[in-house]
Amino acid sequence: MLAVLISGRGSNLQAIQENIENGVLQGNAQIAVVISNKAEAAGLAFAREHKLNTAVCPSEAAVLAELEKYRIDLICLAGYMRVLSRDFVYKYAGKIINIHPTLLPKYPGLHVHAKVLAAGDKESGCTVHYVDAGVDTGKIIAQRKVPVRLEDTPDTLAARVLKQEHILYPEVIWRLCKK
Ligand code: GRF
């Protein structure tokens, strides 16, 4: 069972749920709960419309308490804008993954598309990685690449990368869940 942690839009959550609803993700690869640190996260509205369990957990202690209610196999960070503590990561060691919109280890952190453009990189992409106590530093599981175009702005590049995120994240989740 999956816990999906969000803070905002929730388009990766949507991609995961669509793959569940159309039968690509099966068995254990079901969403037990969607947790947001922000009550106004658009992804929560989507989760409720799709009859998923939801929780608003502003603190890490609240997240831990919520997770205790389920048998969670995998915690999927999907635009979750909080860094998890060492204790949290230790407790769920090897069971927390994140998606990041660059080809890590390049450009961890924020404002990444502007950094890719400023550096003049010819390609970018997205990475799914295990979460450790650092920021976007855990072991890389898989990546997908996109070209960077001369006319790109941070927004156009973000949109191109996001399409690949929506393919990559469900693929990796399936790979980890079917084991
Ligand atoms: C994605 O670009 C993801 O890679 C990053 O935050 C964004 C979340 O988007 N970690 P969404 O909330 O899934 O639409």
Side-chain angles (χ1 to χ4, degrees):
M1 297 300 281
L2 313 173
V4 182
L5 272 57
I6 64 169
S7 295
R9 182 176 56 184
S11 71
N12 279 288
L13 162 69
Q14 280 195 42
I16 295 163
Q17 179 61 15
E18 274 160 21
N19 276 273
I20 291 168
E21 288 176 10
N22 64 26
V24 175
L25 292 177
Q26 303 169 11
N28 253 359
Q30 305 292 316
I31 298 176
V33 62
V34 175
I35 298 174
S36 173
N37 60 313
K38 299 208 166 168
E40 67 275 18
L44 276 180
F46 169 86
R48 291 189 193 111
E49 278 163 25
H50 288 252
K51 311 274 182 255
L52 298 172
N53 295 319
T54 60
V56 176
C57 300
S59 71
E60 191 175 281
V63 175
L64 282 168
E66 188 62 29
L67 291 173
E68 290 288 334
K69 297 181 189 169
Y70 307 92
R71 286 173 70 115
I72 299 297
D73 303 295
L74 196 61
I75 298 171
C76 306
L77 308 187
Y80 185 64
M81 300 301 284
R82 286 275 176 87
V83 178
L84 299 173
S85 72
R86 228 163 245 290
D87 285 352
F88 188 114
V89 170
Y90 185 76
K91 176 160 190 198
Y92 287 98
K95 290 185 168 187
I96 315 172
I97 61 176
N98 180 44
I99 188 152
H100 183 76
T102 69
L103 297 173
L104 290 172
K106 283 187 135 186
Y107 314 112
L110 297 175
H111 312 299
V112 295
H113 303 296
K115 289 176 188 165
V116 170
L117 295 178
D121 291 2
K122 298 281 179 288
E123 63 178 15
S124 189
C126 52
T127 303
V128 177
H129 63 94
Y130 285 106
V131 172
D132 62 15
V135 176
D136 305 322
T137 48
K139 184 169 176 265
I140 292 170
I141 303 170
Q143 297 182 313
R144 285 180 79 94
K145 293 180 178 173
V146 301
V148 177
R149 305 218 171 98
L150 272 181
E151 64 276 19
D152 267 332
T153 63
D155 285 351
T156 61
L157 179 55
R160 192 174 311 121
V161 171
L162 192 64
K163 277 193 187 164
Q164 299 306 312
E165 294 184 40
H166 296 162
I167 298 168
L168 184 67
Y169 216 3
E171 268 179 14
V172 170
I173 289 168
W174 181 231
R175 215 208 282 172
L176 297 178
C177 284
K178 75 179 179 198
K179 275 183 188 166

